[in-house]
């Protein structure tokens, strides 16, 4: 017997049915490309240690070296200039920590005493660069943090004036992970070299979204990460220009030409190689398509929602990234309400999730703390379609209006 009243009411799960699922957080991570997943699945049979000389080891080594060649091709490098690491953060830590080697007779690199040990970087770098620089500063390394303008661009003259005779490394990210602003790294590398310093760029957000050629840019170090280009998590790569002094962060083995000890993550590396191959083939057409979608999303938001601010540079930006501040609407509330509607966005860097502090990137551009708290980042990818953008533009005004209706500050300012 069915109890009266039951069955006529929808269950809780049914009341929250999402009409569409839209993933707009590709800067945080990307889904595995189906062909990457297939390559990893097939490579599961290749279980040998790449350092072993027998048949099983040689098969693993072949997979690693093929991936190295594909990764190198994506950025215009030579295969021997690619070192596989555990993540983009590890790669960035490795480069900055080179400066911590002050022993004049270092058995690894001979860095000590040959160059300055100071670091110059920018105020909008990824936390793995900023925190490492601050950590080294606590150990005696001089660290200088150069600001940006209201669009998030670094002033070349200010950057050049920050470099001194004691500067060993200049580090500037190619494209910002929160607002997508692209920097003139080729010019900055030239400035660094003219002053006797090495140049590093964190290109984790740029590689695979825009053409990158280390020869043309003339950078000494470049970092990238697999899971930002539809590859697996837990693997990245570090480009080290041939002949540049280098000291490993992880010692204890001969792997990766002595630059990174530890048995190679064969599955992850093979996945990275396949992802690099696919990005090289798809990137040009994807860049054009994503720029069109980004423009439609930005224009739609401006047309349909009052009191908004698009953060970053109007033209020098990644094709997939849009960061918007909504006056009187708290970013985390927007994120949660959008999630209930099937739309995934971010309030900034995924690495800063859980922090109550406003975005250091937005603050550096002059956005006040209240506006920074009311910002969300929408980052598109290869699966994003025009219909997804239409759905977001249908839902977002309603969500912003709902959050603003609960804000006494916004109601007071509006009146």
């Amino acid at each position: 017997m069915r109890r009266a009243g039951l069955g006529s009411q929808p269950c809780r799960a049914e009341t929250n049915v999402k009409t569409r699922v839209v993933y707009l957080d590709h800067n945080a991570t990307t889904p595995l490309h189906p062909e990457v997943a297939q390559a990893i699945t097939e490579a599961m049979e290749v279980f040998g240690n790449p350092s072993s000389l027998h048949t099983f080891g040689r098969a693993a080594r072949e997979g690693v070296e093929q991936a190295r060649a594909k990764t190198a091709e994506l950025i215009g490098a030579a295969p021997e200039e690619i070192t596989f690491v555990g993540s983009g953060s590890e790669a960035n830590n490795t480069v900055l920590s080179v400066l911590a080697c002050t022993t004049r007779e270092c058995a690894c690199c001979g860095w000590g005493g040959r160059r300055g040990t100071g670091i110059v970087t920018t105020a909008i770098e990824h936390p793995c660069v900023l925190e490492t620089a601050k950590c080294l500063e606590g150990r005696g390394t001089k660290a200088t943090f150069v600001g940006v303008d209201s669009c998030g661009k670094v002033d070349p003259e200010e950057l050049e004036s920050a470099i001194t005779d004691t500067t060993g490394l200049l580090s500037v990210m190619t494209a910002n992970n929160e607002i997508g602003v692209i920097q003139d790294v080729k010019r900055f590398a030239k400035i660094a070299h003219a002053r006797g310093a090495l140049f590093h760029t964190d290109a984790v957000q740029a590689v695979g979204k825009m053409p990158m050629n280390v020869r043309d840019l003339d950078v000494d170090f470049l970092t990238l990460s697999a899971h930002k280009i539809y590859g697996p998590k837990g693997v990245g790569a570090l480009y080290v220009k041939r002949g540049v002094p280098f000291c490993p962060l992880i010692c204890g083995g001969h792997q990766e030409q002595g630059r990174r000890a530890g048995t190679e993550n064969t599955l992850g590396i093979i996945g990275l190689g396949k992802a690099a191959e696919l990005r090289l083939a798809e990137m040009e057409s994807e860049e054009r398509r994503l720029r069109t979608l980004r423009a439609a999303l930005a224009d739609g938001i401006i047309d349909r929602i009052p009191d908004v601010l698009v953060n970053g540079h109007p033209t020098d930006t990644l094709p997939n990234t849009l960061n918007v501040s909504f006056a009187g609407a708290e970013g985390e509330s927007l994120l949660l309400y959008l999630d209930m509607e099937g739309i995934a966005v971010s309030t900034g860097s995924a690495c800063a999730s859980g922090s109550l502090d406003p975005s250091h990137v937005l603050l550096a551009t002059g956005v006040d703390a209240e506006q920074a708290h009311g910002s969300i980042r929408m980052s598109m990818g290869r699966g994003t379609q025009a219909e997804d953008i239409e759905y977001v533009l249908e839902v977002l005004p309603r969500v912003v209006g709902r959050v603003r209706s609960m804000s006494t500050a916004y109601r007071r300012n509006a009146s």
Side-chain angles (χ1 to χ4, degrees), residues 41-327:
T41 300
E42 293 172 355
M44 287 181 178
E45 299 298 323
V46 185
F47 65 87
N49 189 317
S51 297
S52 299
L53 298 180
H54 48 59
T55 303
F56 300 96
R58 292 198 303 273
R61 173 55 56 192
E62 181 180 359
V64 168
E65 296 310 319
Q66 287 179 355
R68 196 186 309 279
K70 293 174 183 177
T71 304
E73 186 178 7
L74 179 61
I75 60 171
E80 61 269 21
E81 294 174 310
I82 298 297
T83 299
F84 291 119
V85 295
S87 64
S89 292
E90 182 192 323
N92 288 336
N93 271 258
T94 299
V95 174
L96 269 66
S97 295
V98 166
L99 297 178
C101 180
T102 57
T103 305
R104 290 186 177 273
E105 302 300 328
C106 176
C108 297
C109 66
W111 175 278
R114 292 178 55 181
R115 297 174 186 266
T117 57
I119 297 172
V120 174
T121 188
T122 82
I124 63 168
E125 299 296 309
H126 189 276
C128 68
V129 170
L130 292 177
E131 295 305 317
T132 303
K134 292 174 184 177
C135 178
L136 294 174
E137 191 175 28
R139 290 191 250 161
T141 296
K142 178 176 174 53
T144 303
F145 304 91
V146 177
V148 295
D149 64 18
S150 60
C151 292
K153 298 283 278 188
V154 178
D155 183 347
E157 293 184 2
E158 184 178 354
L159 194 72
E160 184 172 13
S161 65
I163 302 174
T164 69
D165 293 339
T166 63
T167 301
L169 181 73
L170 172 60
S171 178
V172 181
M173 68 194 331
T174 304
N176 185 263
N177 50 304
E178 292 191 35
I179 57 177
V181 173
I182 299 171
Q183 306 293 345
D184 190 352
V185 297
K186 183 175 181 177
R187 182 175 182 180
F188 297 161
K190 186 175 181 179
I191 290 173
H193 294 153
R195 301 297 298 274
L198 296 177
F199 183 79
H200 161 250
T201 186
D202 172 2
V204 165
Q205 289 294 343
V207 170
K209 297 187 180 86
M210 54 183 279
M212 297 288 296
N213 187 294
V214 293
R215 296 284 179 261
D216 178 60
L217 297 174
D218 196 26
V219 299
D220 300 296
F221 305 101
L222 178 146
T223 60
L224 63 92
S225 179
H227 78 104
K228 305 294 188 180
I229 58 172
Y230 308 96
K233 298 172 181 64
V235 61
L238 169 62
Y239 161 79
V240 182
K241 183 195 291 184
R242 188 185 293 110
V244 169
F246 183 84
C247 199
L249 179 66
I250 301 176
C251 300
H254 62 277
Q255 294 90 353
E256 295 303 296
Q257 304 175 72
R259 291 178 178 161
R260 203 269 193 181
T263 301
E264 293 92 339
N265 174 8
T266 307
L267 287 177
I269 290 170
I270 290 173
L272 169 54
K274 187 63 178 180
E277 176 188 357
L278 294 167
R279 277 289 82 201
L280 194 59
E282 299 174 352
M283 181 172 54
E284 184 177 351
S285 60
E286 270 296 284
E287 182 180 5
R288 292 193 300 269
R289 191 181 71 86
L290 290 174
R291 285 202 184 279
T292 300
L293 292 178
R294 181 188 183 277
L297 180 58
D299 291 344
I301 289 173
I302 293 170
D303 289 344
R304 303 183 191 198
I305 305 175
D307 301 324
V308 299
L309 173 66
V310 177
N311 299 302
H313 197 277
T315 56
D316 293 343
T317 184
L318 290 173
N320 77 316
T321 305
L322 184 67
N323 189 300
V324 183
S325 295
F326 299 88

